[in-house]
Amino acid sequence: MPSLAGRTALVIGAATGIGRAVSEIFAAEGAAVVVADHGHEDERARLVARLRERGADAIDIECDVREEALVAAAIHATLERFGKLDILVNNAGVGSAAQPFYEQDWGGWDRIFDINLKGVAYGMKHGLPPMLQRGYGRIVNTASQLAHKPAPFCGAYCASKAAVVALTVSVAMEVAEKGIAVNCVCPGPTDTAMWRASDPAWNAWKEAQLPIKRVGRPEEVAAAYAFLASEQASYMIGQSVSPNGGDVMW
């Protein structure tokens, strides 16, 4: 039997990159999938059509994680359509151009933290009550390997992702006894639009550090989400799972 058969998953930040791969592997493992993202209307529609062609029940909705009301609405829409929320993935995130710390502006910091951290917080705040009511849930947040091994010239991004790890652990301790497992994935460099839009020199420097000597594929990273969302991960609480090509080892 597929590992997520009968489950309902809301993936926020689902239209492209890792989020798209997560949606695809969830559907392949039997879950109904709500594809939520800000904009990316064509990508969302194509993804939902592809999931449906493969036999999955899927819908797409607009969700800008900078707006708490829209995150709450995405969760409400999931409950209205499917009657439950088993799995929540908080994957929406943005990067920034590499630049010296003393040249970074607070407006850029606010944008990164509003999306990368507060968006995750909004998702958990509104996703937890229906899970607590049922006594079951899986929450997977997207952090980054840069949370554990920060890099120069991207201070705000590193700080936001380290905060996601800390928030994940704090919430995991609160709800573990109530049937809800909260964990995070800390991807290393992955071949996504965000990676391809980054400074080529910075990318080359980062890729050279990887023992595997290549960036990851979205589907390689998505496998970690599928594991954490499954019953096979029932003893995983507050963990950082790190598909990163060996950039961080422990």
Side-chain angles (χ1 to χ4, degrees):
M1 177 182 293
S3 64
L4 302 180
R7 301 299 188 191
T8 294
L10 168 60
V11 183
I12 301 177
T16 62
I18 292 171
R20 178 173 61 196
V22 169
S23 299
E24 290 175 340
I25 196 170
F26 279 7
E29 290 298 329
V33 181
V34 179
V35 173
D37 215 317
H38 177 43
H40 297 290
E41 292 88 353
D42 291 342
E43 292 92 340
R44 292 191 337 240
R46 285 195 297 268
L47 176 57
V48 166
R50 185 159 60 249
L51 299 183
R52 289 175 175 172
E53 287 171 2
R54 297 173 182 174
D57 196 350
I59 62 172
D60 78 288
I61 55 177
E62 166 70 22
C63 182
D64 182 348
V65 298
R66 293 172 296 184
E67 301 290 338
E68 182 176 0
L70 295 181
V71 177
I75 290 163
H76 178 73
T78 302
L79 296 170
E80 284 287 300
R81 174 64 174 77
F82 295 104
K84 61 178 182 171
L85 174 64
D86 297 303
I87 303 160
L88 171 63
V89 175
N90 293 302
N91 179 65
V94 293
S96 61
Q99 61 183 151
F101 176 75
Y102 58 83
E103 294 180 0
Q104 296 174 21
D105 68 90
W106 299 126
W109 270 65
D110 288 343
R111 176 175 179 268
I112 288 171
F113 272 79
D114 283 348
I115 296 171
N116 292 4
L117 178 59
K118 291 178 72 175
V120 171
Y122 294 154
M124 289 200 289
K125 178 181 177 181
H126 294 281
L128 280 170
M131 291 180 174
L132 290 167
Q133 186 174 17
R134 292 178 60 230
Y136 180 87
R138 297 285 184 267
I139 296 177
V140 187
N141 299 322
T142 298
S144 169
Q145 129 271 10
L146 293 178
H148 299 289
K149 184 183 177 181
F153 306 114
C154 51
Y157 182 84
C158 294
S160 72
K161 293 302 188 176
V164 169
V165 172
L167 178 62
T168 296
V169 172
S170 177
V171 176
M173 290 190 290
E174 292 183 26
V175 300
E177 288 185 305
K178 299 172 183 177
I180 301 166
V182 184
N183 295 285
C184 65
V185 176
C186 298
T190 308
D191 186 18
T192 64
M194 184 185 298
W195 171 259
R196 293 190 292 272
S198 298
D199 177 36
W202 195 95
N203 287 2
W205 169 78
K206 190 68 217 176
E207 189 171 349
Q209 296 180 12
L210 304 178
I212 201 170
K213 299 305 180 188
R214 67 170 177 84
V215 299
R217 300 186 301 274
E219 59 270 24
E220 292 178 298
V221 176
Y225 293 78
F227 169 65
L228 291 174
S230 74
E231 290 308 298
Q232 295 173 324
S234 58
Y235 206 52
M236 299 286 283
I237 302 295
Q239 299 300 305
S240 297
V241 176
S242 302
N244 61 39
D247 196 32
V248 176
M249 298 185 189
W250 64 83

